[in-house]
């Protein structure tokens, strides 16, 4: 439900803003999302005891932004008691900007460090495969192999050493 409401706000933003304004608003909203990771901030935003005006003032004071479209957008969300949707709005806005620019971000998880050349090769191959510009960031984890996740495209590719060993053993046993 929250995502569908967030999509409506994002569509309104896209229709009423230039690309430059949209990127600026996204930059501000992205900074606000970090505040939603703080439990006390969430308690204030979700509290029925705190007035909408105070919630609006809190959010606007965090950034100190005077850009009229952004301020009006926050006021609109506060007026309709939708400030808790900001993380969903940021996610949807990022997706829409990615679609518009045909640039998508993803993550490479592995249990070893990957070089910049390896990441660049993966980016080039995935860019060619999806006919879009793909940007990958490497993260070290305890995953035994490599996992590439492109959430905006709904793609996850993984190569697990354990799975490879199991498949090879199964193939050898079938051959015997």
């Amino acid at each position: 439900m929250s995502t569908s409401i967030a999509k409506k706000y994002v569509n309104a933003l896209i229709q009423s803003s230039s690309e430059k304004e949209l990127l600026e608003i996204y930059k501000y909203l992205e900074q606000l999302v970090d505040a939603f990771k703080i439990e006390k901030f969430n308690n204030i935003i979700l509290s029925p005891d705190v007035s909408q005006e105070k919630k609006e003032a809190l959010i606007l004071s965090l950034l100190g932004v005077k850009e009229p479209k952004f301020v009006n957008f926050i006021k609109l969300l506060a007026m309709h008691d939708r400030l808790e949707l900001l993380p969903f709005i940021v996610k949807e806005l990022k997706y829409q900007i990615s679609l518009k620019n045909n640039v998508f971000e993803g993550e490479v998880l592995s249990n070893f460090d990957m070089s910049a050349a390896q990441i660049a090769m993966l980016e080039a191959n995935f860019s060619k495969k999806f006919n879009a510009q793909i940007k990958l960031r490497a993260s070290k984890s305890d995953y035994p192999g490599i996992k590439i996740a492109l959430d905006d495209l709904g793609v996850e590719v993984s190569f697990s050493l354990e799975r490879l060993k199991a498949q090879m053993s199964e193939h050898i046993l079938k051959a015997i």
Side-chain angles (χ1 to χ4, degrees):
M1 177 77 170
S2 298
T3 54
S4 63
I5 296 170
K7 284 181 183 183
K8 290 179 182 183
Y9 282 101
V10 169
N11 287 336
L13 261 179
I14 289 171
Q15 291 174 4
S16 67
S17 304
S18 68
E19 190 169 337
K20 182 181 176 188
E21 289 173 326
L22 206 57
L23 290 173
E24 194 172 314
I25 290 170
Y26 172 72
K27 180 180 72 170
Y28 298 142
L29 290 174
E30 192 176 38
Q31 292 172 4
L32 276 177
V33 169
D34 291 336
F36 281 89
K37 296 175 184 171
I38 302 168
E39 184 179 349
K40 194 171 188 177
F41 179 81
N42 276 323
N43 290 341
I44 293 169
I45 295 298
L46 297 173
S47 174
D49 298 331
V50 179
S51 71
Q52 298 304 329
E53 293 80 22
K54 288 184 179 180
K55 292 176 186 180
E56 172 190 318
L58 171 66
I59 287 183
L60 292 173
S61 71
L62 289 175
L63 297 176
V65 175
K66 303 290 187 223
E67 204 275 286
K69 267 202 178 160
F70 178 76
V71 171
N72 289 337
F73 184 67
I74 296 300
K75 286 181 178 187
L76 178 71
L77 290 173
M79 184 173 57
H80 294 289
D81 197 21
R82 303 272 196 212
L83 290 172
E84 71 276 0
L85 292 179
L86 279 169
F88 298 105
I89 290 170
V90 170
K91 185 177 180 182
E92 180 63 24
L93 186 57
K94 179 184 177 191
Y95 176 69
Q96 292 298 330
I97 291 171
S98 293
L99 276 178
K100 190 174 188 177
N101 297 331
N102 204 24
V103 177
F104 299 95
E105 293 180 8
E107 187 172 23
V108 179
L109 298 170
S110 64
N111 60 352
F112 56 90
D113 291 324
M114 294 188 70
S115 71
Q118 291 170 321
I119 297 293
M121 182 192 68
L122 287 171
E123 287 175 343
N125 287 335
F126 276 97
S127 293
K128 190 188 312 179
K129 171 78 175 162
F130 294 107
N131 197 22
Q133 185 180 356
I134 306 294
K135 295 179 182 180
L136 298 172
R137 64 185 176 283
S139 299
K140 195 169 181 180
S141 71
D142 57 352
Y143 184 77
I146 297 175
K147 181 189 285 187
I148 301 166
L150 298 166
D151 292 334
D152 289 343
L153 293 174
V155 174
E156 186 175 294
V157 178
S158 64
F159 178 79
S160 169
L161 296 175
E162 297 300 319
R163 191 176 71 201
L164 177 65
K165 287 178 187 177
Q167 287 176 343
M168 287 179 65
S169 297
E170 183 180 318
H171 183 70
I172 290 171
L173 289 174
K174 284 182 182 177
I176 297 178

